Amino acid sequence: MEQVLFIQTGMGIDVHGQNVTKAAVRAVDNAIYTNSMPGINESLPEKSTENMKVNVKLAVPRDQDQIDKDEIKNAIPYGTVSVEVMEGGMATTSGIVLEEKDDKNDLMYIVNASVEVGY
């Protein structure tokens, strides 16, 4: 990315089911869906969101290899999206195992996201 215009951060949790992709999508949603970018086109080359680049960085506590990067990319409505996964976030007890929620154990996964927007 040549120029970062802004960075948004978010957190997502999968309380039951230990699905890191679900937690990651929620973290990305948390980062981007409370923001508006009314002047973004004016800041992009050729004044087009087609030239926008979005770098998503995810801090994931476990099962980093199970992240579905395509699903993460689909959570971003504009631009060319890249996804980087690193260790981080948190795995902590939910206090209960619910088999009907596909729990394998009592852990909930917390993922942190940083969404960089620029060109």
Side-chain angles (χ1 to χ4, degrees):
M1 186 176 304
E2 180 181 327
Q3 178 67 51
V4 176
L5 298 173
F6 58 90
I7 299 171
Q8 303 157 301
T9 60
M11 179 189 72
I13 305 170
D14 184 29
V15 178
H16 296 289
Q18 297 76 44
N19 185 320
V20 289
T21 298
K22 184 184 289 185
V25 168
R26 289 175 176 169
V28 170
D29 286 348
N30 180 248
I32 68 172
Y33 284 109
T34 58
N35 296 285
S36 178
M37 304 183 302
I40 190 69
N41 282 349
E42 296 300 316
S43 300
L44 295 171
E46 300 176 24
K47 299 184 179 188
S48 172
T49 55
E50 289 182 22
N51 296 316
M52 183 168 69
K53 292 183 180 176
V54 181
N55 294 333
V56 177
K57 295 179 182 178
L58 300 169
V60 180
R62 295 186 178 190
D63 303 329
Q64 291 90 352
D65 61 326
Q66 294 180 22
I67 289 281
D68 183 340
K69 290 184 178 181
D70 288 332
E71 195 168 336
I72 304 303
K73 289 177 182 180
N74 288 336
I76 304 292
Y78 303 105
T80 302
V81 182
S82 65
V83 177
E84 179 184 348
V85 179
M86 63 195 74
E87 288 189 32
M90 176 185 273
T92 189
T93 183
S94 67
I96 189 171
V97 175
L98 299 175
E99 291 179 16
E100 66 272 15
K101 297 281 189 179
D102 296 324
D103 272 344
K104 300 165 198 68
N105 52 54
D106 73 336
L107 292 178
M108 64 173 124
Y109 289 174
I110 302 170
V111 173
N112 298 107
S114 174
V115 180
E116 302 171 341
V117 177
Y119 57 90

